[in-house]
Amino acid sequence: MSHDEPKLTTVAVTAGMLPAQVLKGKLELAGIPVLLRYESAGIVYGITVDGLGQVQVQVPEKFAEDARAILAESQDDSHDDDMLTP
């Protein structure tokens, strides 16, 4: 990683790709860049045990506080059981 690349922070962990994509969309709508990090085997085979299938929602460190606030508000509104805390 070069000095120009932002340090990423995990702001949420989901059980599967679909809820991660929803959170990514909400954050990007607010102007926050998002990277989804996951183990490819869990996605390919649909396995959601022992960490496989978990998706980390990551944002640049400078956006982490805003992202967590948006996700907390979103979780309160939807009672989303698929989102885990990092």
Side-chain angles (χ1 to χ4, degrees), residues 14-17 42-43 45-54:
T14 65
M17 184 59 78
I43 301 301
Y45 296 111
I47 301 169
T48 57
V49 296
D50 292 334
L52 287 177
Q54 287 188 344

Side-chain angles (χ1 to χ4, degrees), residues 34-57:
V34 179
L35 174 76
L36 298 180
R37 186 170 190 207
Y38 52 91
E39 180 65 43
S40 61
I43 301 301
V44 170
Y45 296 111
I47 301 169
T48 57
V49 296
D50 292 334
L52 287 177
Q54 287 188 344
V55 181
Q56 295 177 16
V57 179

Side-chain angles (χ1 to χ4, degrees), residues 1-12 27 32-38 56-65 67-68 86:
M1 182 183 300
S2 74
H3 295 289
D4 296 339
E5 293 179 26
K7 181 171 168 45
L8 298 175
T9 299
T10 300
V11 293
L27 293 174
I32 299 174
V34 179
L35 174 76
L36 298 180
R37 186 170 190 207
Y38 52 91
Q56 295 177 16
V57 179
Q58 298 184 326
V59 301
E61 207 169 53
K62 69 180 184 176
F63 293 103
E65 187 176 326
R68 286 188 180 105

